[in-house]
Amino acid sequence: MRKAPILLLSAGLVVVSLTACSSPADSCEPEAMPGNASNVITADGDFGTAPTVDVPTDVYTPTTQSTTLIEGDGDVVLPGELIVVDYTLLNGRTGEVVTQSAYDEAAPTTFSPDSLLPGMAKGIVCATGGSRVAVAISAEDAFGPSGGNPQFGIEEDDTILAVMDVHRSYLAKADGFPVPVTTAGLPSVVTAADGTPGLTIPKSDPPTDLRKATLLQGSGDTVEAGDLVTVHYTGALWNEQTIFDSSWDSGTPVQFSTDQVVPGFADAVVGAQVGSQVVVVVPPSEGYKDVATGSIPANSTLVFVVDILGIG
């Protein structure tokens, strides 16, 4: 980890909870299709900049629809992935802008589908990175069965219109295939269905050298020294048999450069492929050494389980 025990990602990165696609892009099935309501939405302006959206008033749809305005050539957004996206939301009844993201290239906003309106999440499944998508969201897919949001002047049956610029996506959890562990002296790891790892640390003295193993072998790009990586991780103290930090608990993956973390953590990540899950035992010499850091005592042996979700 960094020279502090907790790494916080820039605001906006949260966890995903859609059902995962069982296969890559070719078999992705859209959750919303083009229709009369989404087809009337036009948006001028370059991708990644706040668009000028033109829509008639009194646009209504009982089901969520999605139309691609700009076709990108990036990776397909599969259900269950973190997404970097800018958006502009309008009230379909009035045609007025309700809210929009910052459209700040230096501080992109990353969401999970369950942190968006359900209709927004539906509208971008199977979109490609670099695409601008127009979504007409039914009242129920916006604010639930009761519909409406008086705070924003949205009435019960109002359709919400969204123009979304999809920059890229990240995995929600490691999706690699299991690998037999042959390295001795490692804790055992059991992973829940949502990706959260559980650790069992041996009740013995910790190894004095760094030990690591790949638990799930991903097939994505390989992490190189100095890369900016996005991960989920759990960090534990060997002697205390306790968790000192976990991005799974907060529901927020973290993003950092591999040269910003303690050497043992970097050793586990560099050379691994996106989609992999790795476990590493970090001796004090490769961790925080003889310095107490937050809840980590001096001379602690650390254990990390890391899911590598993306690079950059």
Side-chain angles (χ1 to χ4, degrees):
M1 305 303 305
R2 231 163 85 179
K3 279 48 175 199
I6 300 176
L7 286 171
L8 298 178
L9 186 61
S10 57
L13 185 55
V14 289
V15 180
V16 188
S17 65
L18 287 184
T19 304
C21 271
S22 59
S23 54
D26 289 345
S27 62
C28 187
E29 296 184 3
E31 297 184 4
M33 301 299 292
N36 291 335
S38 62
N39 287 340
V40 300
I41 304 170
T42 62
D44 293 331
D46 294 336
F47 176 89
T49 64
T52 300
V53 182
D54 184 29
V55 295
T57 57
D58 295 320
V59 175
Y60 172 79
T61 179
T63 59
T64 295
Q65 303 171 3
S66 179
T67 299
T68 299
L69 304 179
I70 299 173
E71 185 75 47
D73 59 4
D75 292 336
V76 170
V77 177
L78 301 176
E81 293 188 329
L82 302 166
I83 49 173
V84 182
V85 63
D86 281 304
Y87 63 88
T88 297
L89 298 184
L90 303 93
N91 188 323
R93 174 174 52 85
T94 65
E96 296 179 353
V97 173
V98 175
T99 187
Q100 63 183 181
S101 63
Y103 291 89
D104 183 354
E105 184 178 357
T109 308
T110 308
F111 294 96
S112 68
D114 68 345
S115 69
L116 299 168
L117 299 180
M120 295 172 72
K122 286 183 178 181
I124 58 175
V125 170
C126 301
T128 51
S131 292
R132 172 171 287 174
V133 180
V135 186
I137 303 169
S138 69
E140 183 168 354
D141 279 349
F143 298 106
S146 60
N149 188 318
Q151 178 183 354
F152 292 98
I154 299 168
E155 298 180 0
E156 181 177 343
D157 294 325
D158 284 351
T159 290
I160 301 300
L161 309 179
V163 174
M164 306 178 70
D165 286 3
V166 181
H167 294 274
R168 64 161 300 166
S169 61
Y170 299 97
L171 296 174
K173 62 180 181 178
D175 65 352
F177 59 86
V179 178
V181 176
T182 58
T183 303
L186 292 174
S188 60
V189 179
V190 177
T191 303
D194 67 355
T196 305
L199 270 169
T200 301
I201 299 174
K203 297 182 184 297
S204 58
D205 291 338
T208 58
D209 57 336
L210 186 142
R211 300 189 187 182
K212 62 181 179 179
T214 298
L215 305 177
L216 298 174
Q217 177 60 57
S219 58
D221 293 338
T222 300
V223 179
E224 298 181 0
D227 277 348
L228 184 71
V229 294
T230 300
V231 305
H232 256 314
Y233 75 94
T234 293
L237 301 172
W238 182 291
N239 289 332
E240 289 77 4
Q241 304 267 311
T242 58
I243 303 296
F244 69 85
D245 193 21
S246 178
S247 59
W248 294 100
D249 289 344
S250 67
T252 305
V254 296
Q255 194 174 59
F256 56 83
S257 171
T258 60
D259 57 12
Q260 293 178 314
V261 296
V262 295
F265 194 100
D267 190 288
V269 172
V270 172
Q273 290 179 268
V274 172
S276 296
Q277 181 185 70
V278 297
V279 60
V280 60
V281 177
V282 180
S285 61
E286 300 295 317
Y288 293 104
K289 301 179 178 169
D290 58 357
V291 178
T293 305
S295 60
I296 303 173
N299 297 308
S300 287
T301 296
L302 310 176
V303 178
F304 291 106
V305 180
V306 187
D307 282 21
I308 301 167
L309 308 179
I311 300 173

